[in-house]
Amino acid sequence: MSASGGTKAIDEAGHRIHAAVPVARVIYLEPDIHRAEKAEEAARFL
């Protein structure tokens, strides 16, 4: 994923969170690195 793709994904997640929880002020999003590594590994076998 490119930097702009990552930015877009984070922005979209923020919009979904604010739509569901309008009072949310600060949101911390953390990538699940371990899950991403497993997904990449699994994708090699497809």
Side-chain angles (χ1 to χ4, degrees), residues 14-25 27:
H15 291 301
R16 288 191 306 271
I17 292 167
H18 285 295
V21 186
V23 297
R25 291 283 190 195
I27 302 167

Side-chain angles (χ1 to χ4, degrees), residues 20-39:
V21 186
V23 297
R25 291 283 190 195
V26 178
I27 302 167
Y28 296 97
L29 300 175
E30 299 180 20
D32 187 347
I33 295 170
H34 299 292
R35 187 174 63 197
E37 289 172 354
K38 288 182 180 179

Side-chain angles (χ1 to χ4, degrees), residues 34-46:
H34 299 292
R35 187 174 63 197
E37 289 172 354
K38 288 182 180 179
E40 289 175 9
E41 183 178 327
R44 283 187 248 151
F45 295 103
L46 297 176

Side-chain angles (χ1 to χ4, degrees), residues 2-21:
S2 67
S4 62
T7 300
K8 183 178 178 186
I10 291 169
D11 288 345
E12 289 172 355
H15 291 301
R16 288 191 306 271
I17 292 167
H18 285 295
V21 186

